[in-house]
Amino acid sequence: MNVTRELAARIVASRPQDIPHDVQHEALRSLTNYVGCAFGGCRDPAMEIVVRTLAPFSGAERVGVIGRSERFDALNAVLLNGVSSHVLDFDDTIPKNYIHASTTIGSALWGYAGANRVSGMDFTHAFVIGFDVTSRIADAVFPSHYDAGWHSTGSIGVFGATAALGLLMRLSEDEMVAALGIAATQAAGLRETFGSMAKALHPGRAGQSAFLAVMLAKNGFTGPECGLEGPAGFAAVQAGVKSLVSVTERWGVDYDLRLNAYKPFPCGIVVHPVVDASIALHNEHSLTADAIKQVRLHVGARVLDLCNRPRIETGLETKFSAAHGAAVGLARGRGGLAEFSDEAARDPALRALRGRTVVVADDPTITEANAQVDVETYDGRHLSRRVMHALGSVDRPLTDDQLTAKFIDQAEPILGPARAQHLVELCWRIDKAGDVNTVLEAAVAPA
Amino acid sequence: MNVTRELAARIVASRPQDIPHDVQHEALRSLTNYVGCAFGGCRDPAMEIVVRTLAPFSGAERVGVIGRSERFDALNAVLLNGVSSHVLDFDDTIPKNYIHASTTIGSALWGYAGANRVSGMDFTHAFVIGFDVTSRIADAVFPSHYDAGWHSTGSIGVFGATAALGLLMRLSEDEMVAALGIAATQAAGLRETFGSMAKALHPGRAGQSAFLAVMLAKNGFTGPECGLEGPAGFAAVQAGVKSLVSVTERWGVDYDLRLNAYKPFPCGIVVHPVVDASIALHNEHSLTADAIKQVRLHVGARVLDLCNRPRIETGLETKFSAAHGAAVGLARGRGGLAEFSDEAARDPALRALRGRTVVVADDPTITEANAQVDVETYDGRHLSRRVMHALGSVDRPLTDDQLTAKFIDQAEPILGPARAQHLVELCWRIDKAGDVNTVLEAAVAPA
């Protein structure tokens, strides 16, 4: 049996009762974090532009969008939730393959559930399977796909969203094969967009492509038999990978939700060890920007490729700068939304400190999961801090209470304290909802 | 200056009066052929599925779709016109790089013009520039991009459609740079879909991506500065190509519309020499299927990769089979829509003849533009025909009258003879229209 068909068979045979309890709880953590991050980004300038652009193109169905009062059809709601949940780079990441799985799957699911009655049990099940499909494919083509320049959140997220929506729309095995093939031929998203708003299009656009693929397949549209593994299919063309057998290995035993990470800092995940170490140095030594003569960051090799932008003018660009992550940590002792904003990008003290920072990948014992921050002060001190596991990593995860606090921080400015608290409680028990749309309606902003 | 910006500057500086007369006429040939092919496919099963699927998702604007009575918003109209104009593989091709340029640009333009007043002069100008941008980029990354497995009609067509719509929406140079970058990060389409309906999604989906890119850029959405040539941009990631300097060379002097080819046979263009030679043998020797003992096709090497499907069950699959192209030519003396249909796929005499056919790429003097068909009959004759330039190639083009006849063949079953004749006359002078939408309205089917 070929890989696309074998994967399709496993997806359609999956049942909610198969999901282990710990995985089910991790799904609630991911979904709660997802909704919180959508609030964080729901009034971002990128979001305002997309809302304005799509307004004339929305069909008769009127679906709510997280944190907004405007309503759109389900397909456009997917794009909008994708932008808001990803634009701040505050959403979750699977550290072993760098994919942001929840933003793509979550946005597709929320759009669909706004227009169709979906139980919390089916919703959570679809999310778990979509997440697993995303991460399994991401693993099978890692690192060649990512290193080639693809932003897998879009280019692979489309498969997980297809699996999730395909489950909710009850595709047959043949239809799921077609849907995965129709998804493959829409797989897109380039890392060249990092630092611009265009990056935030990836999850929503992939979610829309998945939605279209599933609806078309359900209606009898035909696709290739081997969309994933064929000679001109996804893995060969977009990763140069020939074997995808690992995609279905240990299916139903291993769940990659167990390896998901939730960000305490809204920036590229490979910068997190730097931020964490820098905050620790700030706190220990009461550092200020003008006390620091020079900073030397020892990081993993991929950080130089992903997060070492030479020119920082906007908040979106700060998210991909290890030097900026060090500067805010060292100078402010914080790495919150305000530290990765347009204001922080232009702050003269931070700008000068970035200019006194060198980023090197010269220590083979340091991977992308670690960092060492060396500081020399004007008064002659040499300070150093090494972080092996940053706060928010799989080995040092945010607690449920920390995730709740992150949610409230982002939702409260939109909903006020009482509604934000009510909504986070609904999210933590979304698997018990009779109709998920009741949760979505509680997430819609007052007009 | 980098390539994306240089290209953007040339696009936005272009003026209708710059277009040479012969290029202007070729644009009319391409647009007329485009509209005719959209009629050919407008009631294809693939089209019926997409119409049904998109019905709930169409916004307040109601734009006509070629050959249909239903109305959709402009973005959905782009997808629908893309499917109908491409699904039969009867649309034009640039033989030097295999791209179907008109289906993607034409579908984007027709969708936009349905919702916005566009003069025929601006419409034709935008088409010429979009066509040129598409072919220039296709050339710059040929053959690595195509041979890797990309269907460039989608993955590169998105850039031409962006240029065309960007001209109509009067983007500034900065906005055009952003739009090309937002287009790059949506570039998609795999050759694995050949033989399935999913191939027909490429032009419309690329047209929608372009439309979204241009609207977003116009509204201030930011993209990468070097979407085409950056280290994680289109050319590096999707073609392994480093230099794109040829993209703007001889701009305004060379126009690739002069190298466009219009198909007399609705199948992959590399099969055309085979069909042409086979029809000639049929006519000369009054061949029938059961008189033929064996067929040997000498073709260019790429034909084995693109058009040598082992299993033929559907009309869509016949379009990518050199053996099928030979069979219909030899047995029926024709290569029209009926010869590449589900009926032809299942015809026992054609099926048996395909089984007695061998396809080889053993003659280094034969490229994809040529073919030699050798036939051995049961009564002992050895017949052979070599075609150097197939009917419809750049060297043996269809005349304007032949294009009119091809249009009428496809439009008459939908519109009736009088309306079809009226419409083709409108198409031949679309550059003179005060509002292109008057032509589109004449192409809408009666309810």
Side-chain angles (χ1 to χ4, degrees):
Chain A
M1 198 188 277
N2 67 53
V3 173
T4 305
R5 184 161 288 277
E6 186 167 340
L7 180 63
R10 305 244 180 184
I11 295 166
V12 301
S14 160
R15 296 289 169 264
Q17 53 269 30
D18 303 339
I19 310 301
H21 284 297
D22 68 315
V23 174
Q24 180 80 1
H25 184 69
E26 207 60 45
L28 298 180
R29 285 165 55 85
S30 295
L31 284 164
T32 300
N33 185 63
Y34 167 85
V35 175
C37 291
F39 275 100
C42 74
R43 291 189 185 168
D44 188 89
M47 187 69 174
E48 299 294 348
I49 293 172
V50 182
V51 165
R52 205 159 68 237
T53 302
L54 292 180
F57 297 100
S58 216
E61 286 181 292
R62 306 314 268 179
V63 174
V65 173
I66 297 168
R68 302 290 308 197
S69 58
E70 305 90 344
R71 286 173 180 269
F72 293 84
D73 67 35
L75 270 169
N76 282 320
V78 171
L79 185 56
L80 288 159
N81 286 327
V83 172
S84 63
S85 60
H86 189 56
V87 68
L88 297 180
D89 251 287
F90 212 5
D91 52 314
D92 58 18
T93 312
I94 308 170
K96 65 175 173 161
N97 54 37
Y98 296 127
I99 206 165
H100 305 277
S102 295
T103 176
T104 305
I105 305 162
S107 300
L109 286 175
W110 280 107
Y112 179 79
N116 300 275
R117 190 183 172 89
V118 179
S119 74
M121 188 178 71
D122 287 342
F123 186 87
T124 315
H125 171 234
F127 179 80
V128 170
I129 297 301
F131 195 105
D132 214 47
V133 166
T134 293
S135 187
R136 284 167 172 272
I137 296 175
D139 268 6
V141 299
F142 190 83
S144 62
H145 178 73
Y146 196 84
D147 287 350
W150 291 103
H151 185 215
S152 52
T153 298
S155 57
I156 296 177
V158 69
F159 297 112
T162 297
L165 291 178
L167 267 174
L168 291 186
M169 292 192 226
R170 313 229 181 280
L171 296 195
S172 69
E173 181 185 307
D174 282 343
E175 290 164 351
M176 186 67 86
V177 169
L180 289 167
I182 301 167
T185 207
Q186 300 175 83
L190 299 173
R191 286 209 277 109
E192 192 68 28
T193 57
F194 284 18
S196 78
M197 293 177 180
K199 178 176 191 270
L201 285 180
H202 296 162
R205 201 73 182 125
Q208 290 186 310
S209 295
F211 205 151
L212 185 64
V214 172
M215 289 190 296
L216 288 173
K218 184 78 186 168
N219 285 332
F221 207 78
T222 62
E225 174 71 16
C226 302
L228 286 170
E229 76 281 23
F234 168 76
V237 176
Q238 294 181 248
V241 164
K242 292 217 159 67
S243 172
L244 289 176
V245 291
S246 66
V247 167
T248 52
E249 278 172 1
R250 295 179 59 83
W251 177 273
V253 179
D254 292 344
Y255 287 90
D256 279 357
L257 260 166
R258 292 174 176 135
L259 303 174
N260 198 19
Y262 310 92
K263 290 180 174 180
F265 315 122
C267 61
I269 195 158
V270 297
V271 178
H272 284 216
V274 167
V275 180
D276 197 354
S278 300
I279 291 173
L281 286 170
H282 171 92
N283 290 340
E284 274 172 44
H285 304 283
S286 304
L287 291 173
T288 58
D290 54 9
I292 296 169
K293 185 176 174 189
Q294 215 203 326
V295 181
R296 195 171 182 85
L297 307 178
H298 303 270
V299 297
R302 201 173 266 112
V303 182
L304 296 183
D305 181 26
L306 292 176
C307 291
N308 195 25
R309 297 184 77 88
R311 219 190 89 218
I312 305 291
E313 301 291 338
T314 68
L316 290 180
E317 290 170 332
T318 64
K319 296 170 183 295
F320 302 96
S321 166
H324 183 82
V328 295
L330 293 167
R332 297 190 180 180
R334 288 194 305 271
L337 289 170
E339 280 67 48
F340 294 92
S341 62
D342 289 349
E343 175 275 321
R346 292 188 293 254
D347 178 313
L350 293 176
R351 191 187 293 271
L353 187 50
R354 290 196 301 263
R356 300 197 297 276
T357 300
V358 178
V359 187
V360 293
D362 60 355
D363 182 340
T365 68
I366 290 182
T367 73
E368 288 75 15
N370 335 122
Q372 180 175 311
V373 178
D374 296 342
V375 172
E376 183 186 352
T377 61
Y378 282 110
D379 60 10
R381 287 175 290 165
H382 287 80
L383 314 171
S384 183
R385 180 86 177 202
R386 182 178 276 230
V387 161
M388 297 312 287
H389 301 295
L391 181 65
S393 65
V394 176
D395 295 279
R396 241 180 96 204
L398 296 187
T399 64
D400 290 1
D401 285 347
Q402 286 172 315
L403 286 174
T404 295
K406 179 181 171 186
F407 181 107
I408 296 288
D409 270 356
Q410 296 181 90
E412 207 176 272
I414 311 293
L415 295 182
R419 280 195 61 191
Q421 184 61 38
H422 175 64
L423 178 61
V424 77
E425 288 165 15
L426 289 178
C427 288
W428 280 116
R429 55 174 196 265
I430 194 169
D431 57 331
K432 307 288 191 300
D435 180 349
V436 168
N437 202 23
T438 56
V439 185
L440 177 56
E441 286 301 325
V444 166
Chain B
M1 200 188 277
N2 67 53
V3 173
T4 304
R5 185 161 287 277
E6 187 166 340
L7 180 63
R10 305 244 180 184
I11 295 166
V12 302
S14 161
R15 294 289 170 263
Q17 53 269 29
D18 303 337
I19 311 300
H21 285 297
D22 68 316
V23 174
Q24 180 81 3
H25 183 69
E26 208 59 46
L28 298 179
R29 285 164 55 85
S30 297
L31 285 164
T32 301
N33 184 64
Y34 167 85
V35 175
C37 291
F39 275 101
C42 75
R43 291 189 185 167
D44 188 89
M47 187 70 174
E48 300 294 349
I49 292 170
V50 181
V51 165
R52 205 160 68 239
T53 302
L54 292 181
F57 297 99
S58 216
E61 286 182 293
R62 307 314 267 179
V63 174
V65 174
I66 296 168
R68 301 289 309 197
S69 57
E70 305 89 345
R71 286 173 180 270
F72 293 84
D73 67 34
L75 270 170
N76 282 320
V78 171
L79 184 56
L80 288 159
N81 286 327
V83 172
S84 63
S85 61
H86 189 55
V87 68
L88 297 180
D89 250 288
F90 212 5
D91 52 315
D92 58 18
T93 313
I94 308 170
K96 65 173 173 163
N97 54 38
Y98 297 126
I99 205 165
H100 305 277
S102 294
T103 177
T104 305
I105 304 162
S107 301
L109 286 175
W110 280 108
Y112 179 80
N116 301 275
R117 190 185 173 88
V118 180
S119 75
M121 187 177 73
D122 286 343
F123 186 87
T124 315
H125 172 235
F127 179 80
V128 170
I129 297 301
F131 194 105
D132 214 47
V133 166
T134 292
S135 187
R136 285 168 171 273
I137 296 174
D139 269 7
V141 299
F142 190 83
S144 63
H145 179 72
Y146 196 83
D147 287 349
W150 291 103
H151 185 214
S152 52
T153 298
S155 57
I156 296 177
V158 68
F159 297 113
T162 297
L165 291 177
L167 267 174
L168 292 185
M169 292 192 226
R170 312 227 181 283
L171 296 194
S172 69
E173 181 186 306
D174 282 344
E175 290 164 351
M176 187 66 86
V177 169
L180 289 168
I182 301 168
T185 207
Q186 300 176 82
L190 299 173
R191 287 208 277 107
E192 192 67 29
T193 56
F194 283 18
S196 78
M197 293 177 180
K199 177 177 192 268
L201 284 181
H202 297 162
R205 201 74 181 126
Q208 289 186 310
S209 295
F211 205 149
L212 184 65
V214 172
M215 289 191 295
L216 287 173
K218 184 77 184 168
N219 285 333
F221 207 79
T222 61
E225 174 72 15
C226 302
L228 286 170
E229 76 282 23
F234 167 76
V237 176
Q238 294 180 248
V241 164
K242 292 218 158 69
S243 172
L244 288 175
V245 290
S246 66
V247 167
T248 53
E249 278 173 359
R250 294 178 60 83
W251 177 272
V253 179
D254 292 344
Y255 286 90
D256 279 356
L257 260 167
R258 292 174 178 136
L259 302 175
N260 199 18
Y262 310 91
K263 290 181 174 180
F265 316 122
C267 60
I269 195 158
V270 298
V271 178
H272 283 218
V274 167
V275 180
D276 197 354
S278 300
I279 291 173
L281 286 170
H282 171 93
N283 290 340
E284 273 173 44
H285 304 285
S286 303
L287 291 172
T288 58
D290 53 10
I292 296 169
K293 186 176 173 190
Q294 213 201 328
V295 181
R296 196 171 181 84
L297 306 178
H298 303 270
V299 297
R302 201 174 265 110
V303 182
L304 296 184
D305 182 26
L306 291 176
C307 290
N308 195 26
R309 296 184 77 87
R311 217 190 90 217
I312 305 291
E313 303 292 338
T314 68
L316 291 180
E317 289 170 333
T318 66
K319 296 170 183 293
F320 302 95
S321 165
H324 183 83
V328 295
L330 292 167
R332 298 189 180 180
R334 288 194 306 271
L337 289 171
E339 280 66 49
F340 295 92
S341 62
D342 289 348
E343 176 275 320
R346 292 187 293 252
D347 178 313
L350 294 176
R351 191 188 292 270
L353 189 50
R354 289 196 301 263
R356 303 197 295 276
T357 301
V358 178
V359 188
V360 292
D362 59 356
D363 181 340
T365 69
I366 289 182
T367 72
E368 287 76 18
N370 335 123
Q372 180 175 313
V373 178
D374 296 341
V375 172
E376 184 186 350
T377 61
Y378 282 110
D379 60 12
R381 288 175 289 164
H382 287 80
L383 314 172
S384 182
R385 180 86 176 203
R386 182 178 277 232
V387 160
M388 297 311 290
H389 300 296
L391 180 66
S393 66
V394 176
D395 296 281
R396 242 178 97 203
L398 296 188
T399 64
D400 290 2
D401 285 348
Q402 286 173 315
L403 286 175
T404 295
K406 179 181 171 186
F407 182 106
I408 296 289
D409 270 356
Q410 297 181 89
E412 208 175 88
I414 311 294
L415 294 181
R419 280 194 62 190
Q421 185 60 39
H422 175 64
L423 179 61
V424 78
E425 289 165 14
L426 290 179
C427 287
W428 280 116
R429 55 173 196 266
I430 196 169
D431 56 331
K432 307 289 192 298
D435 180 350
V436 168
N437 203 24
T438 57
V439 186
L440 177 57
E441 286 302 324
V444 167

